[in-house]
Short mmCIF file of all heavy atoms in Angstrom, two decimals:
data_model
loop_
_atom_site.label_atom_id
_atom_site.label_comp_id
_atom_site.label_asym_id
_atom_site.label_seq_id
_atom_site.Cartn_x
_atom_site.Cartn_y
_atom_site.Cartn_z
N GLU A 50 1.03 5.77 16.70
CA GLU A 50 2.38 5.41 16.92
C GLU A 50 3.29 5.65 15.73
O GLU A 50 3.33 4.88 14.75
CB GLU A 50 2.48 3.94 17.37
CG GLU A 50 3.95 3.43 17.71
CD GLU A 50 4.74 4.39 18.35
OE1 GLU A 50 4.52 4.71 19.57
OE2 GLU A 50 5.62 5.00 17.75
N GLU A 62 11.30 0.28 25.15
CA GLU A 62 10.64 1.26 24.30
C GLU A 62 10.47 0.65 22.91
O GLU A 62 9.40 0.83 22.30
CB GLU A 62 11.38 2.56 24.30
CG GLU A 62 10.73 3.68 23.57
CD GLU A 62 11.50 5.01 23.49
OE1 GLU A 62 12.80 4.93 23.77
OE2 GLU A 62 10.92 6.03 23.21
N ALA A 63 11.47 0.07 22.38
CA ALA A 63 11.41 -0.50 21.02
C ALA A 63 10.37 -1.61 21.01
O ALA A 63 9.55 -1.65 20.04
CB ALA A 63 12.78 -1.11 20.68
N TYR A 64 10.23 -2.44 22.03
CA TYR A 64 9.23 -3.52 22.02
C TYR A 64 7.84 -2.90 22.05
O TYR A 64 6.97 -3.35 21.32
CB TYR A 64 9.50 -4.44 23.23
CG TYR A 64 8.48 -5.56 23.34
CD1 TYR A 64 8.67 -6.72 22.71
CD2 TYR A 64 7.28 -5.44 24.06
CE1 TYR A 64 7.79 -7.77 22.73
CE2 TYR A 64 6.33 -6.41 24.11
CZ TYR A 64 6.61 -7.65 23.45
OH TYR A 64 5.64 -8.64 23.51
N ARG A 65 7.63 -1.89 22.98
CA ARG A 65 6.35 -1.30 23.05
C ARG A 65 5.92 -0.64 21.77
O ARG A 65 4.75 -0.77 21.32
CB ARG A 65 6.43 -0.22 24.19
CG ARG A 65 5.08 0.50 24.33
CD ARG A 65 5.21 1.70 25.32
NE ARG A 65 6.20 2.67 24.92
CZ ARG A 65 6.02 3.50 23.97
NH1 ARG A 65 4.93 3.62 23.27
NH2 ARG A 65 6.99 4.42 23.80
N ILE A 66 6.85 0.11 21.12
CA ILE A 66 6.53 0.75 19.89
C ILE A 66 6.14 -0.32 18.77
O ILE A 66 5.19 -0.13 18.08
CB ILE A 66 7.75 1.60 19.34
CG1 ILE A 66 7.81 2.83 20.24
CG2 ILE A 66 7.65 1.96 17.93
CD1 ILE A 66 9.05 3.63 20.05
N GLY A 67 6.93 -1.40 18.73
CA GLY A 67 6.67 -2.47 17.76
C GLY A 67 5.20 -3.08 18.00
O GLY A 67 4.47 -3.34 17.06
N GLN A 68 4.96 -3.27 19.32
CA GLN A 68 3.72 -3.89 19.60
C GLN A 68 2.55 -2.94 19.31
O GLN A 68 1.50 -3.34 18.76
CB GLN A 68 3.68 -4.26 21.16
CG GLN A 68 2.45 -5.10 21.61
CD GLN A 68 2.64 -5.52 22.94
OE1 GLN A 68 3.15 -4.89 23.80
NE2 GLN A 68 2.08 -6.70 23.27
N THR A 69 2.68 -1.68 19.69
CA THR A 69 1.58 -0.69 19.46
C THR A 69 1.40 -0.49 17.98
O THR A 69 0.25 -0.46 17.45
CB THR A 69 1.96 0.61 20.17
OG1 THR A 69 2.19 0.34 21.54
CG2 THR A 69 0.80 1.62 20.02
N ARG A 70 2.51 -0.28 17.28
CA ARG A 70 2.45 -0.02 15.85
C ARG A 70 1.79 -1.22 15.13
O ARG A 70 0.93 -1.12 14.22
CB ARG A 70 3.82 0.24 15.31
CG ARG A 70 3.90 0.64 13.83
CD ARG A 70 5.28 1.12 13.52
NE ARG A 70 5.64 2.32 14.20
CZ ARG A 70 6.90 2.75 14.37
NH1 ARG A 70 7.94 2.09 13.87
NH2 ARG A 70 7.10 3.87 15.06
N GLY A 71 2.22 -2.44 15.53
CA GLY A 71 1.70 -3.63 14.91
C GLY A 71 0.24 -3.76 15.16
O GLY A 71 -0.50 -4.13 14.25
N ALA A 72 -0.21 -3.51 16.31
CA ALA A 72 -1.64 -3.60 16.68
C ALA A 72 -2.45 -2.64 15.84
O ALA A 72 -3.56 -2.96 15.38
CB ALA A 72 -1.87 -3.35 18.17
N GLU A 73 -1.96 -1.42 15.67
CA GLU A 73 -2.67 -0.48 14.83
C GLU A 73 -2.80 -0.87 13.40
O GLU A 73 -3.87 -0.72 12.75
CB GLU A 73 -2.04 0.93 14.95
CG GLU A 73 -2.15 1.61 16.30
CD GLU A 73 -1.48 2.99 16.32
OE1 GLU A 73 -0.32 3.14 15.87
OE2 GLU A 73 -2.14 3.91 16.78
N LEU A 74 -1.70 -1.45 12.86
CA LEU A 74 -1.69 -1.88 11.48
C LEU A 74 -2.71 -3.07 11.32
O LEU A 74 -3.49 -3.18 10.37
CB LEU A 74 -0.32 -2.23 11.09
CG LEU A 74 0.69 -1.12 10.94
CD1 LEU A 74 2.07 -1.68 10.47
CD2 LEU A 74 0.25 0.00 9.96
N SER A 114 14.12 -6.11 19.41
CA SER A 114 12.98 -5.82 20.34
C SER A 114 11.78 -5.30 19.61
O SER A 114 10.62 -5.63 19.83
CB SER A 114 13.45 -4.87 21.44
OG SER A 114 14.36 -5.43 22.30
N LEU A 115 12.04 -4.41 18.56
CA LEU A 115 10.97 -3.92 17.78
C LEU A 115 10.21 -4.94 17.03
O LEU A 115 9.02 -5.06 16.99
CB LEU A 115 11.43 -2.72 16.93
CG LEU A 115 10.40 -1.82 16.27
CD1 LEU A 115 10.96 -0.41 16.11
CD2 LEU A 115 9.89 -2.34 14.94
N ILE A 116 11.05 -5.84 16.43
CA ILE A 116 10.44 -6.95 15.62
C ILE A 116 9.64 -7.87 16.66
O ILE A 116 8.53 -8.30 16.28
CB ILE A 116 11.57 -7.83 14.99
CG1 ILE A 116 12.29 -6.96 13.93
CG2 ILE A 116 10.98 -9.07 14.35
CD1 ILE A 116 13.65 -7.47 13.53
N GLU A 117 10.16 -8.13 17.82
CA GLU A 117 9.47 -9.00 18.80
C GLU A 117 8.16 -8.36 19.14
O GLU A 117 7.07 -9.05 19.27
CB GLU A 117 10.30 -9.21 20.03
CG GLU A 117 11.47 -10.16 19.75
CD GLU A 117 12.46 -10.17 20.82
OE1 GLU A 117 12.47 -9.33 21.69
OE2 GLU A 117 13.31 -11.18 20.91
N GLY A 118 8.07 -7.00 19.23
CA GLY A 118 6.78 -6.37 19.53
C GLY A 118 5.84 -6.47 18.39
O GLY A 118 4.64 -6.76 18.56
N GLN A 119 6.36 -6.32 17.18
CA GLN A 119 5.43 -6.51 15.99
C GLN A 119 4.88 -7.89 15.93
O GLN A 119 3.74 -8.18 15.59
CB GLN A 119 6.17 -6.14 14.66
CG GLN A 119 6.44 -4.64 14.62
CD GLN A 119 6.99 -4.15 13.26
OE1 GLN A 119 6.99 -2.98 13.04
NE2 GLN A 119 7.53 -5.07 12.47
N LYS A 120 5.80 -8.89 16.24
CA LYS A 120 5.37 -10.30 16.21
C LYS A 120 4.21 -10.60 17.25
O LYS A 120 3.38 -11.27 16.92
CB LYS A 120 6.64 -11.18 16.48
CG LYS A 120 6.46 -12.61 16.03
CD LYS A 120 7.78 -13.38 16.19
CE LYS A 120 8.80 -12.97 15.18
NZ LYS A 120 8.54 -13.74 13.95
N THR A 121 4.46 -9.94 18.44
CA THR A 121 3.38 -10.10 19.45
C THR A 121 2.08 -9.65 19.02
O THR A 121 1.01 -10.22 19.30
CB THR A 121 3.77 -9.46 20.76
OG1 THR A 121 5.05 -9.98 21.24
CG2 THR A 121 2.79 -9.62 21.87
N ALA A 122 2.11 -8.54 18.21
CA ALA A 122 0.88 -8.00 17.71
C ALA A 122 0.28 -8.77 16.52
O ALA A 122 -0.84 -8.47 15.99
CB ALA A 122 1.11 -6.54 17.27
N GLY A 123 0.99 -9.78 15.97
CA GLY A 123 0.53 -10.59 14.91
C GLY A 123 0.90 -9.97 13.59
O GLY A 123 0.22 -10.31 12.55
N ILE A 124 1.94 -9.22 13.47
CA ILE A 124 2.40 -8.53 12.28
C ILE A 124 3.70 -9.13 11.80
O ILE A 124 4.58 -9.31 12.57
CB ILE A 124 2.55 -7.03 12.51
CG1 ILE A 124 1.19 -6.32 12.80
CG2 ILE A 124 3.26 -6.34 11.31
CD1 ILE A 124 0.33 -6.25 11.56
#
Side-chain angles (χ1 to χ4, degrees):
E50 180 40 71
E62 187 181 14
Y64 181 87
R65 177 187 58 77
I66 286 168
Q68 189 174 32
T69 305
R70 186 172 294 162
E73 288 184 312
L74 294 178
S114 291
L115 197 149
I116 295 162
E117 288 170 344
Q119 292 188 160
K120 197 176 285 282
T121 301
I124 292 291

